[in-house]
Structure formats: C-alpha cells, structure tokens
Amino acid sequence: MRLAVVLLAALLGLPPAFVPPPILMYHRVDADHPRGRVAQELTVSPPEFAAQLAYLRARGIAAISMADLNRRLRAGQDLGHT
C-alpha cells in the first residue's frame, strides 16, 4: 500500500520531500473467532478495533479513507502529518 502512495505521489509530481503517510490496514474486524492461524492473525474483535482507534485518536492521529488520501494527493493538499 505504501508503495502505491509513493508511486501516485511521483505521478502527480509531488516534491521530493514528500513523506508518505503511515497506512494501517485491517483485514477483518469480526466478533466471531475464525478458524485457522492466518485468519486468526488477520482478525481483530470489535472491542480491540475500538480500543486501537481510541489509542490513535488520543494521540491526535486521524484516519482518512484511501479515496480521501487520493483526492488530497491529486489536489496537492496537505496530509496533516510529518
């Protein structure tokens, strides 16, 4: 995902000092505990997800969608991170 953001930035002609934003990707948020090691590693419960988002919010980190990231990059808007 990070590579996609860097490539999009290059295509849009963003400055060399462009810092790609951190990207968190959740594969599955589900109350049901899945079978299989891989599925278990890729799944967080709704309470865990809420706690992780609260942790980020408490530190001033805001989430945006990939569509919003794309729109901001194309418009040359500040992403609000360092």
Side-chain angles (χ1 to χ4, degrees):
M1 192 65 66
R2 189 170 179 87
L3 177 59
V5 173
V6 171
L7 290 174
L8 180 59
L11 288 172
L12 294 174
L14 296 177
F18 172 75
V19 177
I23 296 177
L24 301 176
M25 184 173 179
Y26 285 86
H27 294 278
R28 182 175 173 172
V29 178
D30 198 335
D32 293 333
H33 197 68
R35 294 183 180 182
R37 183 182 59 81
V38 173
Q40 290 174 2
E41 290 176 2
L42 296 177
T43 303
V44 296
S45 69
E48 289 173 314
F49 181 67
Q52 291 173 14
L53 291 181
Y55 174 88
L56 295 171
R57 266 194 304 273
R59 283 149 185 81
I61 299 170
I64 62 171
S65 69
M66 288 303 292
D68 193 30
L69 173 62
N70 184 30
R71 183 186 55 73
R72 289 182 189 192
L73 287 173
R74 289 183 184 280
Q77 294 176 329
D78 181 32
L79 299 179
H81 75 292
T82 56

